[in-house]
């Protein structure tokens, strides 16, 4: 699913077409730590982060929730030769936009086609069968189009006005959400680009500002409609729309009307065909644990929940468990609970740079202690189910065990610590 990008910062060096420009003076574009600190730890629901860009010497990226409007966030990507890309996004999408792969992508256009400062690449990678690395193909015949070229194509620009304030766009976004239809390109060039250019110290910046690209495969006449994609995939048009809604296929390169480039669909169909190889049937336990794992990931990873409190994580885990585990045997239920809570804890840790609660959530540990004391066989089976699933997913047995036995509730219970260690240690 696409990130909800709401507007350009007025000091961006590479504007996204057909989006308005917003005052971004709160940001020091020479100081990534300042950007991070605007929102980081400034209150509940506020966050920020900064990192160097792997593979780009001198490159960095940063994001921050806006404290006065916590449903919005700024994301900045800096390239040492090509300047800054500054966008305003829905705060729930800030982490996704900030951490989008590959890191070297400075600009994204046409449903994920991306530019690293030198070359445009297609959105869907080829997977190397030996290394499993993602290999992105260059776009044949691609040419960058600048803001200056667009302004020559649509002369008679309006007199520049001031950029929108964050307050104004926040109010509009709360009321209306994203616009269902973007303004025509000629209106954006004539009305909005002068706002951006008026804020630039050098008018020649328009000739250096990469706005979009052209390429033979992105000519609408050669692209695929929903009907065309359905015919190639051997499914109905409604099935293609369902794939889109569930995020099971690439985003279209053009939204209005909906069009995909031929290479993107061909890559998707090739991968889809490979994925249809029959898979071994999962047991009931594996199915439940896998389903809960996906659900936990979707609820807690990379969204507003990235720094939830301990009780909030316990509640979220409980709601997911209640949804999927009615009628299960005790060992499977508690195994699922242990697995889900461990995943929630682990994600929370990774998204807070190590600042996470030690041990499992309170509700889960209470259940585990009660089971160990009253139904040790059930507790042992639940622990083993969790451990088998986590080890199968590539987790380290000693690491998982350490997180469990170091829970504060077990510090003064060496008998239970020893019993849990024995329960999950292979004979």
């Amino acid at each position: 699913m696409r990130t909800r990008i709401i507007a350009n910062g007025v000091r961006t060096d590479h504007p996204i077409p057909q989006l308005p420009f917003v005052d971004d003076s709160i940001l020091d574009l020479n100081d990534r730590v300042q950007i991070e600190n605007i929102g980081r730890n400034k209150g509940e629901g506020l966050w920020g982060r900064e990192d160097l860009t792997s593979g780009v010497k001198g490159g960095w990226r940063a994001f921050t929730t806006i404290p006065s409007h916590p449903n919005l966030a700024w994301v900045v990507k800096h390239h040492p030769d090509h300047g800054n890309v500054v966008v305003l996004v829905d705060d729930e999408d800030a982490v996704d936009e900030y951490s989008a792969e590959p890191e070297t992508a400075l600009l994204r256009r046409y449903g994920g086609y991306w530019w690293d400062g030198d070359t445009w690449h297609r959105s869907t990678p080829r997977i190397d069968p030996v290394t499993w690395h993602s290999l992105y193909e260059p776009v044949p015949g691609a040419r960058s189009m600048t803001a200056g070229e667009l302004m020559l194509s649509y002369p008679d620009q309006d007199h520049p006005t001031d950029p929108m304030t964050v307050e104004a766009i926040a109010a509009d976004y709360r009321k209306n959400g994203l616009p269902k239809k973007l303004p025509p390109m000629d209106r954006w060039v004539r009305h909005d680009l002068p706002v951006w250019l008026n804020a630039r110290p050098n008018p020649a910046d328009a000739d250096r500002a990469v706005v979009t690209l052209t390429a033979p495969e992105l000519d609408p006449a050669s692209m695929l409609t929903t009907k065309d994609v359905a015919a190639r995939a051997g499914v109905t048009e409604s099935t293609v729309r369902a794939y889109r809604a569930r995020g099971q296929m690439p985003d279209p390169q053009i939204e209005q009307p909906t069009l995909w480039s031929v290479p993107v669909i061909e890559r998707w169909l090739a991968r889809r065909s490979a994925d249809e190889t029959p898979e071994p049937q999962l047991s009931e336990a594996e199915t439940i644990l896998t389903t809960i794992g996906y659900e936990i990931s979707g609820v807690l990873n990379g969204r507003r929940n990235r720094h939830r409190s301990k009780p909030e994580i316990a509640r979220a885990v409980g709601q997911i468990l209640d949804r999927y585990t009615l009628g299960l045997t005790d060992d499977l239920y508690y195994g699922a609970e242990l697995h889900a809570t461990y995943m929630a804890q682990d994600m929370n840790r990774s998204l807070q740079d190590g600042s996470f609660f030690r041990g499992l959530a309170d509700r889960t540990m209470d259940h585990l202690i009660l089971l160990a004391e009253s139904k040790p066989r059930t507790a042992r089976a639940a622990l083993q189910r969790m451990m088998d699933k986590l080890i199968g997913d590539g987790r380290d047995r000693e690491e998982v065990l350490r997180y469990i036995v170091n829970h504060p509730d077990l510090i003064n219970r060496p008998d239970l610590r020893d019993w849990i260690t024995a329960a999950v240690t292979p004979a």
Side-chain angles (χ1 to χ4, degrees):
M1 302 298 287
R2 293 191 180 187
T3 302
R4 288 166 289 185
I5 300 178
I6 300 165
N8 295 289
V10 74
R11 290 180 295 160
T12 188
D13 290 310
H14 305 283
I16 297 176
Q18 297 166 279
L19 293 184
F21 292 92
V22 175
D23 176 20
D24 56 15
S25 57
I26 190 176
L27 307 172
D28 183 344
L29 298 181
N30 295 312
D31 188 347
R32 64 182 189 272
V33 175
Q34 182 268 345
I35 297 170
E36 173 192 49
N37 286 338
I38 291 171
R40 188 180 179 96
N41 294 325
K42 295 299 190 294
E44 186 175 356
L46 305 180
W47 200 242
R49 179 161 176 159
E50 58 82 17
D51 285 287
L52 298 177
T53 301
S54 178
V56 180
K57 186 177 181 180
W60 54 263
R61 60 199 193 282
F63 83 88
T64 182
T65 311
I66 301 175
S68 58
H69 301 283
N71 64 319
L72 302 178
W74 286 110
V75 181
V76 180
K77 296 184 179 181
H78 172 78
H79 190 285
D81 299 322
H82 299 287
N84 299 308
V85 173
V86 186
V87 293
L88 185 70
V89 304
D90 188 300
D91 184 60
E92 290 190 351
D93 292 341
V95 172
D96 291 344
E97 177 66 16
Y98 168 83
S99 59
E101 294 291 340
E103 285 186 29
T104 51
L106 182 63
L107 307 184
R108 295 181 191 276
R109 303 290 187 266
Y110 283 101
Y113 278 54
W114 58 275
W115 184 65
D116 58 9
D118 296 311
T119 305
W120 285 99
H121 302 265
R122 289 178 178 145
S123 56
T124 51
R126 178 173 62 85
I127 306 301
D128 187 294
V130 177
T131 65
W132 288 94
H133 291 162
S134 295
L135 305 176
Y136 290 90
E137 298 169 326
V139 181
R143 188 181 75 83
S144 296
M145 180 169 284
T146 67
E149 290 177 278
L150 282 176
M151 297 183 85
L152 287 175
S153 301
Y154 300 104
D156 304 322
Q157 280 88 32
D158 295 345
H159 182 74
T161 59
D162 291 331
M164 292 183 70
T165 64
V166 171
E167 289 72 20
I169 202 156
D172 180 72
Y173 186 60
R174 277 196 305 271
K175 180 180 179 181
N176 302 311
L178 288 177
K180 290 183 172 57
K181 192 171 183 179
L182 294 173
M185 181 66 84
D186 63 338
R187 183 184 184 282
W188 181 77
V189 173
R190 290 189 171 104
H191 176 73
D192 291 282
L193 264 185
V195 175
W196 169 79
L197 190 59
N198 190 52
R200 310 296 299 178
N202 185 350
D205 287 350
D207 296 322
R208 292 188 288 267
V210 175
V211 174
T212 188
L213 76 151
T214 62
E217 65 192 58
L218 296 174
D219 179 354
S222 67
M223 298 174 77
L224 302 176
T225 64
T226 301
K227 182 178 180 179
D228 297 329
V229 174
R232 290 190 176 220
V235 299
T236 65
E237 291 181 55
S238 60
T239 299
V240 172
R241 285 190 283 270
Y243 286 156
R244 276 198 68 194
R246 296 195 295 261
Q248 293 177 325
M249 67 178 298
D251 285 328
Q253 275 54 70
I254 298 176
E255 289 279 3
Q256 300 162 358
T258 304
L259 295 172
W260 286 266
S261 73
V262 171
V264 165
I265 290 301
E266 287 179 342
R267 176 71 62 205
W268 170 64
L269 290 175
R271 183 177 298 176
R272 181 170 170 265
S273 177
D275 289 345
E276 288 175 353
T277 303
E279 297 180 356
Q281 292 297 307
L282 298 178
S283 68
E284 180 188 29
E286 291 170 323
T287 300
I288 289 292
L289 294 179
T290 299
T291 301
I292 288 173
Y294 281 125
E295 186 78 4
I296 285 282
S297 178
V299 169
L300 296 180
N301 192 13
R303 297 294 183 182
R304 190 180 299 278
N305 311 298
R306 58 186 174 267
H307 48 96
R308 277 181 157 185
S309 68
K310 188 173 177 179
E312 287 173 330
I313 288 182
R315 276 196 301 275
V317 169
Q319 290 168 354
I320 292 169
L321 284 162
D322 292 342
R323 189 180 313 145
Y324 287 107
T325 58
L326 289 176
L328 297 180
T329 58
D330 283 350
D331 65 315
L332 184 49
Y333 176 89
Y334 292 116
E337 180 180 58
L338 286 163
H339 174 251
T341 310
Y342 177 86
M343 286 193 64
Q345 169 207 10
D346 196 47
M347 284 183 231
N348 198 49
R349 172 185 60 152
S350 65
L351 291 166
Q352 290 195 86
D353 308 319
S355 175
F356 74 111
F357 63 91
R358 294 285 173 181
L360 300 174
D362 286 345
R363 118 182 199 143
T364 308
M365 185 53 67
D366 290 343
H367 287 171
L368 179 59
I369 292 173
L370 180 62
L371 277 179
E373 293 176 335
S374 61
K375 297 181 180 180
R377 290 180 62 184
T378 300
R380 182 187 298 270
L383 280 164
Q384 289 172 345
R385 286 189 184 279
M386 176 202 74
M387 188 65 77
D388 289 345
K389 175 61 179 170
L390 290 171
I391 299 305
D393 289 344
R395 306 287 176 149
D396 179 75
R397 182 182 298 274
E398 295 301 319
E399 179 187 29
V400 176
L401 176 60
R402 185 164 58 250
Y403 291 153
I404 298 175
V405 299
N406 285 342
H407 190 278
D409 290 353
L410 293 177
I411 294 299
N412 298 317
R413 294 294 305 273
D415 56 329
L416 277 179
R417 289 161 61 96
D418 292 344
W419 182 88
I420 291 170
T421 301
V424 299
T425 302

